[in-house]
Amino acid sequence: PTIPLGRTLPLTATGRFSDNTSQDLTSAVTWSSNASATISVSDTAGSKGVAKAELPGSAGSTATITASLEGVSGDAIITVGME
């Protein structure tokens, strides 16, 4: 996905289980960004999983957003788009 500078993008974490069920885990996981100066992601209740393109002049830059819970994690690579 791509986020224009200064905009936000709500992300969702979905758990898929061995019994073929799935569950929205967005509010349960811990969210992090490997480049939070470029693209941050909220880990605060009420806004968990909301990514924001932060750094002016960073169009084309990327960050890996990780959602983790109990030793299991998933990643998404987000790109900063044009303003």
Side-chain angles (χ1 to χ4, degrees):
T2 299
I3 309 174
L5 184 62
R7 300 288 181 102
T8 60
L9 176 68
L11 302 173
T12 303
T14 303
R16 300 199 193 286
F17 302 96
S18 58
D19 63 356
N20 290 326
T21 61
S22 60
Q23 181 179 351
D24 182 350
L25 299 175
T26 303
S27 62
V29 300
T30 299
W31 293 93
S32 62
S33 170
N34 75 333
S36 59
T38 302
I39 299 176
S40 64
V41 63
S42 175
D43 194 44
T44 303
S47 62
K48 278 192 162 227
V50 177
K52 182 177 181 183
E54 298 281 1
L55 188 63
S58 63
S61 297
T62 62
T64 300
I65 305 299
T66 303
S68 303
L69 181 66
E70 297 179 9
V72 178
S73 64
D75 297 325
I77 297 173
I78 309 293
T79 303
V80 178
M82 300 300 289
E83 294 183 52

